[in-house]
Amino acid sequence: MTTAISRFPVPALDDLPEDIRGRIVAVQQKAGFVPNVFLAWAHRPEEFRAFFAYHDALLDKPGGLTKAEREMIVVATSSLNHCHYCVIAHGAILRIRAKDPLIADAVATNYLNAPLTPRQRAMLDFAVKVAARSHEVGEDDFAVLRTHGMSDEDVWDIGAIAALFALSDRMANMLALRPNDEFYAMGR
Amino acid sequence: MTTAISRFPVPALDDLPEDIRGRIVAVQQKAGFVPNVFLAWAHRPEEFRAFFAYHDALLDKPGGLTKAEREMIVVATSSLNHCHYCVIAHGAILRIRAKDPLIADAVATNYLNAPLTPRQRAMLDFAVKVAARSHEVGEDDFAVLRTHGMSDEDVWDIGAIAALFALSDRMANMLALRPNDEFYAMGR
Amino acid sequence: MTTAISRFPVPALDDLPEDIRGRIVAVQQKAGFVPNVFLAWAHRPEEFRAFFAYHDALLDKPGGLTKAEREMIVVATSSLNHCHYCVIAHGAILRIRAKDPLIADAVATNYLNAPLTPRQRAMLDFAVKVAARSHEVGEDDFAVLRTHGMSDEDVWDIGAIAALFALSDRMANMLALRPNDEFYAMGR
Amino acid sequence: MTTAISRFPVPALDDLPEDIRGRIVAVQQKAGFVPNVFLAWAHRPEEFRAFFAYHDALLDKPGGLTKAEREMIVVATSSLNHCHYCVIAHGAILRIRAKDPLIADAVATNYLNAPLTPRQRAMLDFAVKVAARSHEVGEDDFAVLRTHGMSDEDVWDIGAIAALFALSDRMANMLALRPNDEFYAMGR
Amino acid sequence: MTTAISRFPVPALDDLPEDIRGRIVAVQQKAGFVPNVFLAWAHRPEEFRAFFAYHDALLDKPGGLTKAEREMIVVATSSLNHCHYCVIAHGAILRIRAKDPLIADAVATNYLNAPLTPRQRAMLDFAVKVAARSHEVGEDDFAVLRTHGMSDEDVWDIGAIAALFALSDRMANMLALRPNDEFYAMGR
Amino acid sequence: MTTAISRFPVPALDDLPEDIRGRIVAVQQKAGFVPNVFLAWAHRPEEFRAFFAYHDALLDKPGGLTKAEREMIVVATSSLNHCHYCVIAHGAILRIRAKDPLIADAVATNYLNAPLTPRQRAMLDFAVKVAARSHEVGEDDFAVLRTHGMSDEDVWDIGAIAALFALSDRMANMLALRPNDEFYAMGR
């Protein structure tokens, strides 16, 4: 018995526009498998392009946050949103980026009690505030992050990653997007 | 005294990449002013392109939802997220699209009591569920929408608009994005 | 097609007791129309008299709060209570009292991000606390308001207005009280 | 050591307007003591008159709800609002009106598990809905109450009592209104 | 008409294992009646033994908290959990232990406004935090309690009592455990 | 750098009472390591004995629930309580008992979307209701479980496991109990 990876139709690779197929093939060659998020979003090519452009603009850019820290933001806020796909997939990426087999589960279950630096704790406090009650964000929040050496551009990055996964988690939940089995044991 | 339109720097039009400047100029010519969301997002050109590509893919596409209905989704979920910019700006667009000067405030304050068709009420129930507790979305929700004549593609549209404004509202709140004065009285 | 202004019967003016009819006629002459709240409450003359006596005792009395500030309290707490009638009707009054076409929508959507003085922000923080979790009010709340120059009588006024509209919003929601069309564009 | 009955000044009986002093003396003669709510509200004579007029219009009128049932509404919603004064004072009145020494504590702690008739349970479900999330009240709620033999006027009474104590509980909490010691053991 | 004391079968005393019957008889001789919690839990002898062993280890041990203070923790957290049995039964015990006929109802309705020492207020703040959102407990909470002269062992006691009644309240609610009539008037 | 396994002192095995040391040694021999919960609770021998007696009475007894199902209850409710220790440790046990490397993370992130049988879904709905809002449990909940073939004793088991981990999760959170590293990869 297999479960569908999405509540919506999943296109065959050969039916996809060239740029989307190219991106998926490249991921497959690098990761060894195609993460289901690519196949599910490919049902809507325009949205696929916009989503991964946004993703790359925030997750793959240079900046004050390490790649592991960006994944912490994804895991903490996706756990808040109860997004099965994002917690599992980005938990795996976090373990790899942080070279720490334990950190993802700690952040997912209760980041308040995870082994983080004070800077990382402040980063996640802000990310979770943006995710859960962004209308309460105020100047004080920026001031706190500055005391941890964050620039305003870093703050934008934190909030924007939380905001992008506010979108992504809701989509994945609506689609009942299934995490690939490969993710569960990666980096452990 | 004027209030900044964003907590982050706002670029001058002349400093922007050609494609972004072009888009902004086109909007200005059509609307008579530049909605602040364009200027604020332009601080990050990559994110600008991704955001508006996503926006156009959902708000400007053909499909089973009218343009007014799509704006109802934006207003209802942005009100839930207490996003000043989106409620004011998309409230104006909703009034114009629906040719109804009263509908936007009704939807923003309490869509449960707004003068909607049963189909629109079901649409907003689903949009708000995606916005507030997407992890509870289940097959039953799809079934309800089908009884109102919605196709699965319509359901994707509803949820995806709610998801996109989950992103947009959080960004606007983090930026303290100020609505242009022009929006408040439009369509009344 | 017209929607009823209340889920309950609305009396004809001629059937009302003299004092109630007099009050309504006076309002009509001043405003140019009869706000629906008067007609809906007139279904219960005793409650009509008590409600407007309470209203006048708080909204029309002298005191440390300006009339615009009192309306801010109504709009902020009625928005919290998702009361369509009160947000629209008192939003109109707020715009007029404050001579500011933008303030009401800002306060209704997210007063935390509205252009307020620090004193007004503290005033609304207290009003919203009384509206949402009055059992947590403590001496510290009074102390904060005193630092903004508020007297204890001002504090009573803030809390009492929030409390009166806790009643009013719940009644209006139960009645599905419809705002008069005139309110939407007043003061813009 | 005695605790003040209110955070605000409490007037001496002799300083009160005649009508207010008369009402208080009458209550004292009937009850054997002056419930603190009368003294605390007397700090503001206009509000005193309006409040007790509203109270009498709902609690002392004829109608489909028994006097005990009206007190159940007060106790259930005041418990939700964590109002010390109202739970204690109206708990006492409920015990007396219902001639049941146990009912008030059951309703205050968890009305869902209290020994009520199905009609009373439906009555409190509606009252609590008005108290906690009145914007969700809809036609279905009226239909449920009608199946229990409630008239629309009964429904108004239920909701209006919940609304009045939404006001009263918030005021009492702001005032830190102390229940008279006499109430605790009355009717046990 | 009598209501069952539990949704589950209640064993006859004679059918109980010797140790359990002995415990129940001893309680009966001391209190004059058998509190229903003993009969309801006796349906599962192993759980009975474990529960009362846990109870005695926390409520009957020496330590920095007075017996009245321990009962305050039970009443405050059981009220939060809307547990009819525990609020009534332990409210009675609190009145007796504190020799104060008024304290239990004050703590049950709103401990934030009850006549407590600052140390007791801090104790209940911590107990309620453990009861409602234990994952937010941090070093700062321990520091606050130390400023009130609490040892770390006292802190364990507070949290453990809150945790034990997290169990007990949930069981009693599932069982619809009825408080004995005797408790209501005890200690008044 | 190592993190303490508990905020409270952890006794040396040799200092423990014979029965407690015996239990710990037996666990160590079976599991290959000593789960930290045993060491942390051993700080209080009486509570240790009561806790594990309760645990064994519910997790190791015969009954209608499989051992894997009981662990599902622990994981779902401990995730709700954000208990790092219990989610990790019982997640491991669940993987082993269910012989399924993926089930624990699915249940922990969003059991509503996990691959469960309808009976298991109903079981977790009830467990989560007991964990989060036990005062709303009513006859209808029992009826639903009976339609899935559950006996009343099974219902007790479900609710009692949820209740026991209401205790356990709160204690572990107060202690900042650290999961053993061994748990993270077990059963994957």
Side-chain angles (χ1 to χ4, degrees):
Chain A
M1 187 190 85
T2 54
T3 311
I5 69 166
S6 168
R7 285 194 177 111
F8 287 84
V10 173
L13 265 189
D14 288 349
D15 297 340
L16 287 171
E18 181 58 31
D19 62 320
I20 293 179
R21 188 169 61 243
R23 166 108 196 208
I24 292 178
V25 168
V27 169
Q28 186 173 29
Q29 289 172 341
K30 185 172 173 196
F33 64 97
V34 181
N36 289 334
V37 65
F38 289 93
L39 300 174
W41 246 265
H43 176 58
R44 294 271 184 112
E46 291 302 325
E47 295 170 43
F48 179 104
R49 291 182 188 107
F51 177 72
F52 289 104
Y54 222 132
H55 175 278
D56 297 349
L58 288 168
L59 279 297
D60 290 347
K61 68 183 278 284
L65 306 178
T66 68
K67 293 212 167 178
E69 286 169 344
R70 297 178 208 194
E71 296 298 327
M72 285 178 188
I73 296 168
V74 178
V75 171
T77 60
S78 296
S79 175
L80 182 81
N81 295 327
H82 302 288
C83 178
H84 189 198
Y85 185 87
C86 293
V87 170
I88 300 301
H90 287 272
I93 304 174
L94 171 53
R95 286 190 295 271
I96 291 168
R97 293 271 155 85
K99 300 185 198 313
D100 178 346
L102 310 185
I103 188 68
D105 293 330
V107 169
T109 311
N110 183 14
Y111 84 91
L112 297 171
N113 195 29
L116 303 171
T117 64
R119 179 179 176 276
Q120 289 167 342
R121 166 67 189 267
M123 175 186 79
L124 292 186
D125 283 343
F126 184 73
V128 164
K129 188 168 190 177
V130 170
R133 45 197 175 91
S134 64
H135 67 291
E136 296 182 8
V137 168
E139 298 299 328
D140 290 354
D141 297 302
F142 284 71
V144 167
L145 290 169
R146 284 182 201 120
T147 67
H148 290 282
M150 299 270 189
S151 71
D152 279 11
E153 295 305 310
D154 295 335
V155 179
W156 177 301
D157 286 343
I158 299 169
I161 294 170
L164 178 63
F165 282 84
L167 177 158
S168 164
D169 293 344
R170 281 161 180 76
M171 286 299 296
N173 281 340
M174 179 176 70
L175 271 55
L177 183 62
R178 185 158 62 83
N180 304 61
D181 293 359
E182 289 86 346
F183 282 125
Y184 290 79
M186 277 172 61
R188 292 193 183 275
Chain B
M1 186 191 86
T2 55
T3 311
I5 69 165
S6 167
R7 285 193 177 110
F8 287 83
V10 172
L13 267 189
D14 289 349
D15 297 339
L16 286 172
E18 180 56 31
D19 62 321
I20 293 178
R21 188 169 61 243
R23 166 111 197 205
I24 292 178
V25 168
V27 169
Q28 187 173 27
Q29 288 172 341
K30 185 173 173 196
F33 63 97
V34 182
N36 290 334
V37 65
F38 289 93
L39 300 175
W41 246 264
H43 175 58
R44 293 272 185 111
E46 291 301 328
E47 296 170 43
F48 179 104
R49 291 182 189 107
F51 177 71
F52 288 103
Y54 223 132
H55 175 277
D56 297 349
L58 289 167
L59 279 297
D60 291 347
K61 69 184 275 289
L65 306 177
T66 68
K67 292 212 168 179
E69 286 170 341
R70 297 178 209 194
E71 296 299 326
M72 285 178 187
I73 296 170
V74 178
V75 171
T77 61
S78 296
S79 175
L80 182 81
N81 295 327
H82 301 288
C83 179
H84 188 197
Y85 184 87
C86 294
V87 170
I88 300 302
H90 287 273
I93 303 173
L94 171 53
R95 286 191 294 271
I96 290 168
R97 294 270 156 87
K99 301 186 199 309
D100 180 344
L102 310 185
I103 188 67
D105 293 330
V107 169
T109 310
N110 184 15
Y111 84 91
L112 297 171
N113 195 29
L116 304 171
T117 65
R119 180 180 176 275
Q120 289 167 342
R121 166 66 188 269
M123 176 188 78
L124 292 186
D125 283 343
F126 184 73
V128 164
K129 188 168 189 177
V130 169
R133 44 198 176 90
S134 64
H135 67 290
E136 296 182 9
V137 169
E139 298 300 327
D140 289 355
D141 297 301
F142 284 71
V144 167
L145 291 169
R146 282 181 202 120
T147 68
H148 290 282
M150 300 268 190
S151 70
D152 280 12
E153 295 306 309
D154 295 335
V155 179
W156 176 302
D157 286 343
I158 299 169
I161 294 170
L164 178 63
F165 282 85
L167 179 159
S168 165
D169 293 344
R170 282 160 179 76
M171 286 300 296
N173 280 340
M174 179 174 72
L175 271 55
L177 184 62
R178 185 156 63 83
N180 305 60
D181 293 0
E182 288 86 346
F183 283 125
Y184 290 80
M186 278 172 61
R188 292 192 184 275
Chain C
M1 188 190 85
T2 56
T3 309
I5 70 165
S6 167
R7 287 196 176 108
F8 286 84
V10 173
L13 265 189
D14 288 349
D15 297 340
L16 287 172
E18 180 57 32
D19 61 322
I20 293 178
R21 189 170 60 243
R23 166 110 196 203
I24 291 178
V25 168
V27 169
Q28 187 173 26
Q29 289 173 341
K30 185 172 173 195
F33 63 98
V34 181
N36 290 333
V37 65
F38 289 93
L39 300 174
W41 246 265
H43 176 58
R44 294 272 184 113
E46 291 301 327
E47 297 170 43
F48 179 104
R49 292 184 188 105
F51 177 71
F52 289 104
Y54 222 132
H55 176 278
D56 296 350
L58 288 168
L59 278 298
D60 290 346
K61 68 183 277 287
L65 306 178
T66 68
K67 294 210 166 180
E69 285 170 344
R70 297 178 208 195
E71 296 298 327
M72 284 179 189
I73 296 169
V74 178
V75 171
T77 61
S78 296
S79 175
L80 182 81
N81 294 327
H82 301 288
C83 178
H84 189 198
Y85 184 88
C86 294
V87 170
I88 299 302
H90 287 272
I93 304 174
L94 171 53
R95 286 192 295 271
I96 291 167
R97 292 271 155 84
K99 301 183 197 314
D100 178 345
L102 310 185
I103 188 67
D105 293 330
V107 169
T109 311
N110 183 15
Y111 84 91
L112 297 171
N113 195 29
L116 304 171
T117 65
R119 179 180 176 275
Q120 289 167 341
R121 166 68 188 265
M123 176 188 78
L124 292 186
D125 283 343
F126 184 73
V128 164
K129 189 168 189 176
V130 169
R133 45 197 175 89
S134 64
H135 68 291
E136 296 182 10
V137 168
E139 298 299 329
D140 289 354
D141 297 302
F142 284 70
V144 167
L145 290 170
R146 283 182 201 119
T147 67
H148 290 281
M150 300 268 190
S151 71
D152 279 12
E153 294 306 309
D154 295 335
V155 179
W156 177 301
D157 286 343
I158 300 169
I161 294 170
L164 178 63
F165 281 85
L167 178 158
S168 164
D169 293 343
R170 281 161 180 77
M171 286 299 296
N173 281 339
M174 180 175 70
L175 271 54
L177 183 62
R178 185 157 62 82
N180 305 60
D181 293 0
E182 288 86 346
F183 283 126
Y184 290 80
M186 276 172 61
R188 292 193 183 274
Chain D
M1 188 189 84
T2 56
T3 310
I5 70 165
S6 167
R7 286 194 176 110
F8 287 83
V10 172
L13 266 188
D14 289 349
D15 298 340
L16 287 172
E18 181 55 31
D19 62 320
I20 293 179
R21 187 169 62 243
R23 166 113 197 202
I24 291 178
V25 168
V27 169
Q28 187 173 28
Q29 288 172 342
K30 184 174 173 195
F33 63 97
V34 181
N36 290 334
V37 65
F38 289 93
L39 300 174
W41 246 265
H43 175 58
R44 294 273 184 111
E46 291 301 329
E47 297 170 43
F48 178 105
R49 291 182 188 108
F51 177 72
F52 289 103
Y54 222 133
H55 175 278
D56 296 350
L58 288 167
L59 279 297
D60 290 347
K61 69 183 276 285
L65 306 177
T66 68
K67 293 212 167 177
E69 286 169 342
R70 297 177 208 195
E71 296 298 326
M72 284 178 189
I73 296 170
V74 178
V75 170
T77 60
S78 297
S79 176
L80 182 81
N81 294 327
H82 301 288
C83 178
H84 189 198
Y85 184 87
C86 293
V87 170
I88 300 302
H90 287 272
I93 303 173
L94 171 53
R95 286 190 296 271
I96 290 167
R97 295 269 156 87
K99 300 186 199 310
D100 179 344
L102 311 185
I103 189 66
D105 293 330
V107 169
T109 310
N110 183 15
Y111 84 91
L112 297 172
N113 195 30
L116 304 170
T117 65
R119 180 180 175 275
Q120 289 167 341
R121 166 67 188 268
M123 175 188 79
L124 292 186
D125 283 343
F126 185 72
V128 163
K129 188 168 189 177
V130 170
R133 45 200 175 89
S134 63
H135 67 291
E136 297 182 9
V137 168
E139 298 299 329
D140 289 354
D141 297 302
F142 284 70
V144 167
L145 291 169
R146 284 181 202 121
T147 68
H148 289 281
M150 300 268 191
S151 70
D152 279 11
E153 294 306 308
D154 295 335
V155 179
W156 177 301
D157 286 344
I158 299 169
I161 294 170
L164 177 63
F165 282 85
L167 178 158
S168 164
D169 294 343
R170 281 160 181 77
M171 286 300 295
N173 280 341
M174 180 176 71
L175 271 55
L177 183 62
R178 185 157 62 82
N180 304 60
D181 294 0
E182 288 86 346
F183 283 125
Y184 290 80
M186 278 171 62
R188 293 192 183 274
Chain E
M1 187 191 86
T2 56
T3 310
I5 68 166
S6 167
R7 285 194 177 111
F8 287 84
V10 172
L13 266 190
D14 288 349
D15 298 340
L16 287 171
E18 181 56 32
D19 61 320
I20 293 178
R21 189 170 61 243
R23 166 110 196 204
I24 291 178
V25 168
V27 169
Q28 187 173 29
Q29 288 174 341
K30 186 173 172 195
F33 63 97
V34 182
N36 289 335
V37 65
F38 289 93
L39 300 175
W41 246 265
H43 176 58
R44 294 274 184 109
E46 291 301 327
E47 296 170 43
F48 179 105
R49 292 182 188 107
F51 177 72
F52 289 104
Y54 222 131
H55 175 279
D56 296 351
L58 288 167
L59 278 297
D60 291 347
K61 68 182 278 287
L65 306 177
T66 67
K67 292 211 167 179
E69 286 169 343
R70 296 177 209 195
E71 296 298 326
M72 285 177 189
I73 296 169
V74 178
V75 171
T77 60
S78 295
S79 175
L80 181 80
N81 295 326
H82 301 287
C83 178
H84 188 198
Y85 185 87
C86 293
V87 170
I88 300 301
H90 287 272
I93 304 175
L94 171 52
R95 287 191 294 272
I96 291 168
R97 292 270 156 85
K99 301 185 198 312
D100 179 344
L102 310 185
I103 188 68
D105 292 330
V107 168
T109 310
N110 183 14
Y111 84 90
L112 296 171
N113 195 29
L116 304 170
T117 64
R119 180 180 175 274
Q120 288 167 341
R121 166 68 188 267
M123 175 187 79
L124 292 186
D125 283 343
F126 185 73
V128 164
K129 187 168 189 176
V130 169
R133 45 197 174 90
S134 64
H135 67 290
E136 296 182 9
V137 168
E139 297 300 328
D140 289 354
D141 297 301
F142 284 70
V144 167
L145 290 169
R146 284 183 201 118
T147 68
H148 290 281
M150 300 269 191
S151 71
D152 279 12
E153 294 305 309
D154 295 336
V155 179
W156 176 302
D157 286 344
I158 299 169
I161 294 170
L164 177 62
F165 282 84
L167 179 158
S168 165
D169 293 343
R170 281 162 180 75
M171 286 299 296
N173 281 340
M174 179 176 69
L175 271 55
L177 184 61
R178 184 156 63 83
N180 304 62
D181 293 358
E182 288 86 346
F183 283 126
Y184 290 80
M186 278 172 61
R188 292 194 182 272
Chain F
M1 186 191 85
T2 55
T3 310
I5 69 166
S6 167
R7 286 194 176 110
F8 287 85
V10 173
L13 266 189
D14 288 349
D15 297 341
L16 287 171
E18 182 55 32
D19 62 321
I20 293 178
R21 189 169 61 243
R23 166 110 196 206
I24 292 178
V25 167
V27 169
Q28 186 173 29
Q29 287 172 342
K30 185 172 173 196
F33 63 97
V34 181
N36 289 334
V37 65
F38 289 93
L39 299 174
W41 246 265
H43 176 58
R44 293 273 185 110
E46 290 301 327
E47 296 169 43
F48 178 104
R49 291 183 189 107
F51 177 72
F52 289 104
Y54 223 132
H55 175 278
D56 296 351
L58 288 167
L59 279 297
D60 291 348
K61 67 183 278 286
L65 306 177
T66 68
K67 294 213 166 179
E69 286 170 343
R70 297 178 208 196
E71 296 298 328
M72 284 178 188
I73 297 168
V74 178
V75 171
T77 60
S78 296
S79 175
L80 182 81
N81 295 327
H82 302 289
C83 179
H84 188 198
Y85 185 86
C86 294
V87 170
I88 300 301
H90 287 273
I93 303 174
L94 171 53
R95 287 190 294 271
I96 290 168
R97 292 270 156 86
K99 300 185 199 313
D100 180 344
L102 310 185
I103 189 66
D105 293 330
V107 169
T109 310
N110 183 16
Y111 84 91
L112 297 171
N113 195 29
L116 303 171
T117 65
R119 180 179 176 274
Q120 288 166 342
R121 167 66 189 268
M123 176 187 79
L124 292 186
D125 283 343
F126 184 73
V128 163
K129 188 169 189 177
V130 169
R133 44 198 176 92
S134 63
H135 67 291
E136 296 182 9
V137 168
E139 297 299 327
D140 289 354
D141 298 302
F142 284 71
V144 167
L145 290 170
R146 283 182 202 120
T147 68
H148 290 281
M150 300 269 190
S151 71
D152 280 12
E153 295 306 309
D154 295 335
V155 179
W156 176 302
D157 286 343
I158 299 169
I161 294 170
L164 178 63
F165 282 85
L167 178 158
S168 165
D169 293 343
R170 282 162 179 76
M171 286 299 296
N173 281 340
M174 179 175 71
L175 271 55
L177 184 61
R178 184 157 62 82
N180 305 59
D181 294 359
E182 288 86 347
F183 283 125
Y184 290 80
M186 276 172 62
R188 292 191 184 277

